Amino acid sequence: MAVLMPSVQAATVYRHVDEQGNVSYSDRPQQGEAVELAPLTVVPAPRASSTFTGRDTAKAATPSPPFLPYSTFRIASPGDEQTLPTGYAGNVQVEVAIEPALREDHRVRLLLDGRLSQSALHSDAFMLTNLDRGEHQLVAELLDADGRVRHRSEPVTLFVQRASVNLPRNPQ
């Protein structure tokens, strides 16, 4: 493996000032005087968090076991793979089943397609309005008093039908 990895060496950097006083840097010695650079500080990138952007990704991210004192934490409504008809205009109430009842210092927030949709509230019901037509993923998260995610529900897929100018005589 050492043979395949290129060797990393510090390259010499040269500083050059032209007739107008513009400063430029180069790796060519004929361009100016050598400059001593301080060593770089390397900070590793944070681990990417899981997002629920599609069916395969959502199934791959397994929900955590229920955080005690809760025996149940799941999206009760709408049901998985439910279709929201055109007449609902993209509006749906999301209900989260939590047993026993949500503690006073805990909050629930809702993610729609991997992005925060509803701020953390002390509630088990949320209203989503004016959803675009198509497939959407819903996930509920339980936050403790410190704002840490303590539990994530299984993703629920929702299909939204909307009126279309392409089908003006749609029977729905």
Side-chain angles (χ1 to χ4, degrees):
M1 187 151 135
V3 174
L4 297 175
M5 294 189 63
S7 62
V8 178
Q9 297 179 1
T12 305
V13 176
Y14 300 92
R15 180 176 185 261
H16 173 73
V17 181
D18 67 12
E19 297 81 31
Q20 289 82 26
N22 298 319
V23 178
S24 62
Y25 295 89
S26 173
D27 59 351
R28 297 186 196 130
Q30 68 271 18
Q31 293 274 329
E33 63 188 50
V35 177
E36 183 79 25
L37 297 176
L40 293 175
T41 303
V42 178
V43 178
R47 260 180 83 187
S49 62
S50 296
T51 57
F52 300 98
T53 56
R55 268 199 159 139
D56 295 335
T57 306
K59 299 291 185 204
T62 56
S64 57
F67 168 64
L68 296 177
Y70 302 104
S71 59
T72 301
F73 184 80
R74 64 181 177 80
I75 296 177
S77 175
D80 192 28
E81 297 191 359
Q82 182 176 332
T83 299
L84 195 63
T86 303
Y88 283 72
N91 301 329
V92 63
Q93 182 172 336
V94 178
E95 295 178 18
V96 181
I98 306 170
E99 292 177 10
L102 189 62
R103 285 183 21 180
E104 188 62 38
D105 59 337
H106 289 174
R107 303 281 181 262
V108 177
R109 69 180 177 193
L110 193 61
L111 302 176
L112 175 66
D113 299 328
R115 291 184 295 271
L116 185 62
S117 170
Q118 298 280 312
S119 302
L121 301 171
H122 185 267
S123 177
D124 60 357
F126 299 89
M127 189 67 185
L128 295 175
T129 59
N130 202 25
L131 292 175
D132 291 333
R133 67 186 310 163
E135 180 179 334
H136 297 281
Q137 294 282 327
L138 302 174
V139 173
E141 291 182 331
L142 174 72
L143 295 121
D144 65 12
D146 297 325
R148 293 181 305 220
V149 175
R150 299 308 299 246
H151 186 63
R152 180 174 286 129
S153 73
E154 294 246 4
V156 169
T157 301
L158 176 66
F159 300 102
V160 177
Q161 295 179 345
R162 296 292 301 262
S164 170
V165 294
N166 297 326
L167 298 170
R169 294 176 191 240
N170 187 344
Q172 295 187 16

